[in-house]
Amino acid sequence: MKLYYFPPSPNTSKVHAVALHLQLPLELQFVDISKGESHTPEFLKLNPTGRTPVLQDGDFILWESTAIMLYLASQVSNALWPDDIKTRADILRWQSWQLAHWYQACQTLSYENYVKGLLQQGEPDPQMIKRANEQFHQEAIVLNQHLAERDYLVGDTLTLADFSVASDLTYAELGQFPLEPYPHIRAWYARIEQLPAWKKTAPQG
Ligand SMILES: N[C@@H](CCC(=O)N[C@@H](CS)C(=O)NCC(=O)O)C(=O)O
């Protein structure tokens, strides 16, 4: 299987981390999105949205990082994506929450407080930051409360849900995420950061 990837992106790093954690061999193909390489005619044939990551498995092409993680974790029997249907639904619940709510707040803070300056795209927008901080607190309260009673998001072991939700904290420090009031999120994220696969794939910022 071949992964078209952009290592500084959490959407790429969580997919790559899952593959390493499961010891699934991947051929890696760097796509430099900062040079427009995800919008070439060749790449748009793989992913018409012009985004990374993309997985190629023979004739099968898959884009969207969450779908790629599910596909990878379905290759072998493993605890990240166990067979039990209620556990699977629970994992999907957290992945759905991440895509619909958590990602929005985290992405805006990362962009306004860090990426914008990095790419010289202007000053942070105080209104956007205020709104994203409000959104962040609204969701972080729920996540923190959930993690107060457990070490991982679903059941008592690491699953795909942890990879999905943790990936948005990759730029928490550089993006000035207001994490101080949330000790359980910080402790959980510190656990995820200790995973060998996470250490090998986490962007350096
Ligand atoms: N929902 C998509 C988001 C992918 C995405 O936004 N990828 C960004 C990097 S973080 C990208 O490749 N952007 C290139 C572009 O938009 O030109 C996923 O989860 O895979």
Side-chain angles (χ1 to χ4, degrees):
M1 290 185 286
K2 183 170 181 177
L3 184 70
Y4 293 83
Y5 84 143
F6 181 67
S9 155
N11 286 315
T12 273
S13 58
K14 68 185 172 191
V15 166
H16 193 190
V18 165
L20 283 185
H21 186 86
L22 297 175
Q23 299 182 315
L24 295 170
L26 277 186
E27 183 189 340
L28 298 170
Q29 174 73 52
F30 177 57
V31 179
D32 192 345
I33 64 172
S34 71
K35 295 196 175 128
E37 288 180 8
S38 62
H39 291 275
T40 62
E42 295 76 35
F43 191 86
L44 291 173
K45 277 186 206 151
L46 295 170
N47 183 357
T49 74
R51 299 188 184 106
T52 53
V54 175
L55 185 78
Q56 185 167 24
D57 185 10
D59 293 341
F60 182 59
I61 309 289
L62 190 62
W63 39 272
E64 281 300 322
S65 56
T66 304
I68 297 173
M69 289 162 72
L70 285 177
Y71 184 74
L72 290 175
S74 301
Q75 304 291 319
V76 287
S77 177
N78 67 88
L80 295 188
W81 182 237
D83 290 339
D84 177 66
I85 59 169
K86 286 188 179 141
T87 308
R88 286 192 170 192
D90 203 353
I91 292 168
L92 275 172
R93 172 240 304 275
W94 283 104
Q95 292 185 309
S96 304
W97 171 82
Q98 181 259 333
L99 287 169
H101 310 292
W102 185 234
Y103 174 81
Q104 305 303 327
C106 296
Q107 165 68 14
T108 305
L109 289 174
S110 300
Y111 178 69
E112 291 295 335
N113 288 329
Y114 173 54
V115 177
K116 217 172 180 180
L118 191 71
L119 302 180
Q120 299 178 323
Q121 291 180 345
E123 293 299 310
D125 179 335
Q127 278 307 106
M128 294 290 283
I129 293 174
K130 182 171 178 291
R131 176 78 195 107
N133 270 316
E134 286 165 5
Q135 274 183 327
F136 183 88
H137 285 300
Q138 187 181 334
E139 305 303 333
I141 286 168
V142 177
L143 182 61
N144 192 60
Q145 184 58 41
H146 184 72
L147 288 167
E149 289 152 24
R150 43 183 72 78
D151 284 348
Y152 298 101
L153 284 174
V154 175
D156 55 9
T157 187
L158 184 76
T159 69
L160 289 183
D162 298 289
F163 283 87
S164 286
V165 176
S167 71
D168 290 322
L169 294 178
T170 301
Y171 291 115
E173 223 171 289
L174 293 165
Q176 300 168 41
F177 293 13
L179 271 170
E180 209 282 323
Y182 307 112
H184 305 301
I185 298 180
R186 287 188 276 114
W188 162 79
Y189 188 63
R191 274 193 291 284
I192 305 296
E193 281 188 306
Q194 290 312 307
L195 296 170
W198 196 270
K199 284 189 182 170
K200 283 192 191 135
T201 54
Q204 296 311 308

